[in-house]
Amino acid sequence: AEYMGEEGRVANLVSVFGRMLCGVRRFSLAARVIKDVVPPKVRKLLKPVPHPLDGAAAKSEFSNPWQITCAALIERLPIVTPNLHPAEYNFLVLQDGLDQLRMKVYPDKLFQAEGYVEGDEQEKQVERKPKKGTLEAFEPGGRVTAADHSGDVRTTNRRLDDRLYFIVKDAQQGTWGFPQTPFVEEMTLRKSIESKVRNSFGDRVDWYFVGNAPMVCHKIQYSPEQQKATNSFGAKVFFFRSQFIGGQVTVDKAHYSDFAWLSRSELAQFLPEDLCQTLMPLLPNWHQLISADYIQRKLPQDK
């Protein structure tokens, strides 16, 4: 309602004051203040605030409680540094060229020992052979592994320059998701999911749970049929971040039929869309943080 003047401002203040009192279970006091203090003309402007879930949805939420569930977001950290983005590579080349222009040039004789004869050092380098176990004999391994070529997603020896996330396939429903378990009242949220992970995926695996607080809460609203069957309005899934340290993962075949280690870009092919919308903003994405399209949009163009 459009109402100008002092009475409109009073109505707003009284409305806020009344809602605050109602929030702390002082409805009778708020009603008395509105009835005795507020003029009738202003009282007409005060309208009740509807509940965000109107009708049957609001009644169902208050009559049926939420199920509390814990989940583990297990990640394998990058093993090698990621490849340079073309923008980073071009910047390093430019920086190296500027350093070459600004550096001082010293004579070669300044770095030569006494009695140095030109050509002796080259002959020594040809005759000398690297010994085993020394730094000179070290040969770096490839950044692309056999699992990358074969497409094997059940091993952590793939995509070494990226983060991998552990997901499992439910044996009964056949859907993919993160390991999760109902909250155990005798334990904390973290202890509930930590016990589930250690008992379901083998004792020879080292996990490290980062902190005691969940990283995000994902809400799932059940269908009317599920609400009647479970006597719950929905589920609140609290995700805890965990890191894979090492070991061989073996899944419990009674609960999970398969597992996979996937990167951030691959998760959308296996997980539901609403879950991806909740988790994707919290997962690092260094590979696509600065893309060519982003650079073209953000950097000023030469005219």
Side-chain angles (χ1 to χ4, degrees):
E2 296 182 359
Y3 191 87
M4 305 300 293
E6 188 67 23
E7 294 180 346
R9 290 192 292 270
V10 173
N12 292 333
L13 292 176
V14 173
S15 177
V16 173
F17 178 69
R19 293 172 189 174
M20 292 175 60
L21 292 179
C22 292
V24 294
R25 299 181 179 179
R26 301 293 175 83
F27 179 78
S28 59
L29 178 60
R32 193 181 307 116
V33 170
I34 295 175
K35 180 179 179 181
D36 299 339
V37 178
V38 181
K41 186 182 297 185
V42 180
R43 199 182 308 164
K44 296 179 181 179
L45 300 176
L46 302 178
K47 298 181 180 179
V49 180
H51 191 273
L53 296 175
D54 293 330
K59 295 180 181 179
S60 178
E61 182 188 12
F62 286 109
S63 59
N64 298 327
W66 289 84
Q67 286 186 346
I68 305 300
T69 308
C70 313
L73 186 95
I74 304 173
E75 61 179 351
R76 189 225 64 190
L77 299 179
I79 298 184
V80 299
T81 56
N83 292 323
L84 293 177
H85 191 274
E88 295 178 304
Y89 178 79
N90 294 335
F91 173 76
L92 293 178
V93 172
L94 175 62
Q95 191 178 41
D96 184 67
L98 294 176
D99 292 340
Q100 293 290 338
L101 294 175
R102 296 169 182 172
M103 67 181 298
K104 292 184 179 180
V105 180
Y106 295 95
D108 295 337
K109 295 182 179 181
L110 183 63
F111 304 98
Q112 296 173 359
E114 281 187 39
Y116 173 80
V117 179
E118 188 175 357
D120 291 348
E121 187 65 24
Q122 296 179 0
E123 295 178 0
K124 293 180 181 179
Q125 291 179 359
V126 173
E127 297 175 358
R128 185 175 54 188
K129 295 181 179 180
K131 297 181 180 180
K132 293 184 179 180
T134 60
L135 184 61
E136 297 177 354
F138 172 76
E139 295 183 2
R143 300 175 64 90
V144 181
T145 63
D148 293 325
H149 293 292
S150 62
D152 184 11
V153 297
R154 297 180 181 88
T155 176
T156 56
N157 192 29
R158 61 182 298 265
R159 303 197 66 156
L160 303 180
D161 60 342
D162 201 354
R163 294 172 181 254
L164 297 182
Y165 300 94
F166 181 70
I167 63 173
V168 291
K169 187 176 183 179
D170 190 88
Q172 297 179 354
Q173 300 180 1
T175 57
W176 288 89
F178 293 96
Q180 60 183 20
T181 183
F183 168 61
V184 182
E185 294 184 359
E186 292 77 10
M187 302 181 180
T188 60
L189 290 172
R190 170 181 164 172
K191 288 295 183 181
S192 300
I193 185 60
E194 189 174 1
S195 176
K196 174 68 175 181
V197 169
R198 297 190 185 280
N199 295 332
S200 300
F201 306 114
D203 299 333
R204 299 182 179 180
V205 185
D206 293 333
W207 317 92
Y208 173 68
F209 280 80
V210 184
N212 295 317
M215 59 179 294
V216 69
C217 176
H218 177 65
K219 296 182 180 180
I220 304 175
Q221 182 177 346
Y222 292 159
S223 62
E225 294 77 11
Q226 291 177 320
Q227 292 178 4
K228 292 181 180 179
T230 60
N231 292 327
S232 301
F233 179 75
K236 292 183 179 180
V237 185
F238 293 89
F239 281 86
F240 286 81
R241 186 182 294 274
S242 177
Q243 294 178 356
F244 171 78
I245 305 300
Q248 187 67 31
V249 177
T250 57
V251 298
D252 185 5
K253 295 297 184 180
H255 298 89
Y256 307 108
S257 60
D258 201 357
F259 69 95
W261 290 94
L262 304 178
S263 63
R264 183 184 187 275
S265 58
E266 297 171 334
L267 288 176
Q269 304 174 11
F270 293 79
L271 300 180
E273 183 179 358
D274 58 340
L275 181 59
C276 290
Q277 293 178 356
T278 303
L279 294 179
M280 286 304 174
L282 303 175
L283 304 182
N285 188 19
W286 305 114
H287 287 265
Q288 301 175 0
L289 183 61
I290 304 178
S291 61
D293 297 336
Y294 178 87
I295 294 176
Q296 293 178 2
R297 293 195 308 266
K298 296 299 180 181
L299 294 183
Q301 302 295 329
D302 296 335
K303 295 182 180 180

